[in-house]
């Protein structure tokens, strides 16, 4: 009986080996229709046209990956970097795509317009955009103490450097002028007084004219109507004099 069992087992193995076939596809998982998009640094925005798909790391359909554009740190940022994945972004046998961005930082200063140096190499005047690294930067301005900063120590998109005023120095661009208070000349005082008086007279004459005209409407006295017309003329002349005075001041201010 033992021999018969062995023969049956051997026959079964031969039959399976002759009719069946095990392929690599049956063992390995089938190709995934998805691809994972990652970035360095993480958190880049992923857009399909004008639609925000999300931030990295992000899992999308492989067929959609060719139409995606990445922005770091974000599309609306002043220092936004753009990376389009392209028509054939990923080989068929890979499932992860990695995009590397350059981290940048804006150096600002108080006061504005300080010079930024890397060693003795001049970089530019603040505000200036620089890549984030470990290099030491020197921020300088005449009249202020220089400051040493490193962009790698910043956690935000901008670094503000405050330069203290050097001892015994006056900040560049500022000057103290010790002059006594001086009254304006007569060429200013007299026209100013005349303009002010003309304005007051124009208001008063107009009030007199309105009063006389109201009295005329009640009494129908022709003398009151004549006074109303007279004061209207005075008010018009005073107003014209005031306008001439204002024109004179405008010419004095902007004529030079």
């Amino acid at each position: 009986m033992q021999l018969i069992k062995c023969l049956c087992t051997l026959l079964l193995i031969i039959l399976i080996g002759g009719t069946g076939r095990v392929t690599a596809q049956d063992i390995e998982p089938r190709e995934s229709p998805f691809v994972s998009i990652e970035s360095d640094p993480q958190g880049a925005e992923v857009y399909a046209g004008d639609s925000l798909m999300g931030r990295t790391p992000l899992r999308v359909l492989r067929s959609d990956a060719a139409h995606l554009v990445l922005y770091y740190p974000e599309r609306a940022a002043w220092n936004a970097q753009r990376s389009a994945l392209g028509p054939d972004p990923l080989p068929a046998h890979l499932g992860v795509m990695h995009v590397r961005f350059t981290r940048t930082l804006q150096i600002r200063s108080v006061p504005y317009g300080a010079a930024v140096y890397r060693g003795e190499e001049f970089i530019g005047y603040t505000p200036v955009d620089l890549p984030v690294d470990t290099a030491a930067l020197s921020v300088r301005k005449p009249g202020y103490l220089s400051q040493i900063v490193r962009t790698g120590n910043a956690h935000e998109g901008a670094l503000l450097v405050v330069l203290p005023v050097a001892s015994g120095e006056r900040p560049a661009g500022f000057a103290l002028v010790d002059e006594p208070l001086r009254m304006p000349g007569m060429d200013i005082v007299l026209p100013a007084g005349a303009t002010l008086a003309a304005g007051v007279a124009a208001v008063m004459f107009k009030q007199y004219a309105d009063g006389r005209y109201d009295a005329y409407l009640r009494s129908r006295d022709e003398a009151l109507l004549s006074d109303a017309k007279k004061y209207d003329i005075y008010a018009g002349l005073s107003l014209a004099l005031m306008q001439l005075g204002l024109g004179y001041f405008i010419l004095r201010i902007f004529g030079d």
Side-chain angles (χ1 to χ4, degrees), residues 74-211:
E74 58 186 18
R75 188 175 182 177
W78 59 268
N79 58 342
Q81 300 177 56
R82 182 181 184 276
S83 178
L85 299 188
D88 188 18
L90 196 68
H93 65 284
L94 297 180
V96 178
M97 182 174 187
H98 191 271
V99 179
R100 184 179 298 276
F101 292 98
T102 301
R103 290 187 59 199
T104 59
L105 180 75
Q106 186 176 76
I107 305 293
R108 303 174 183 172
S109 69
V110 178
Y112 177 89
V116 180
Y117 289 83
R118 181 184 288 112
E120 293 303 321
E121 177 190 1
F122 174 69
I123 303 298
Y125 294 100
T126 57
V128 61
D129 300 336
L130 297 172
V132 175
D133 53 29
T134 58
L137 302 174
S138 175
V139 184
R140 314 171 188 173
K141 189 161 189 177
Y144 296 85
L145 298 178
S146 300
Q147 296 291 306
I148 304 298
V149 298
R150 295 181 184 271
T151 57
N153 297 334
H155 301 288
E156 302 293 335
L159 179 63
L160 178 64
V161 181
V162 179
L163 302 178
V165 179
S167 177
E169 295 286 342
R170 289 181 180 177
F174 291 87
L176 297 178
V177 179
D178 186 13
E179 293 184 354
L181 180 64
R182 294 185 302 176
M183 294 296 295
M186 296 304 293
D187 59 333
I188 297 294
V189 174
L190 290 179
T195 301
L196 180 61
V200 173
V203 174
M204 294 178 62
F205 285 138
K206 182 60 178 174
Q207 289 178 344
Y208 290 155
D210 291 343

Side-chain angles (χ1 to χ4, degrees), residues 4 15 179 199 238 252:
I4 295 175
L15 289 175
E179 293 184 354
S238 299
R252 286 296 304 269

Side-chain angles (χ1 to χ4, degrees), residues 22 25 35-36 39 41 43 96 100 113 127 131-132 143 161 167 170 185 192 199 230 233 248-249:
V22 179
Q25 187 62 47
V35 60
S36 179
S39 69
V96 178
R100 184 179 298 276
V132 175
V161 181
S167 177
R170 289 181 180 177
K230 178 178 63 176
I233 294 174
Y248 170 79
F249 283 112

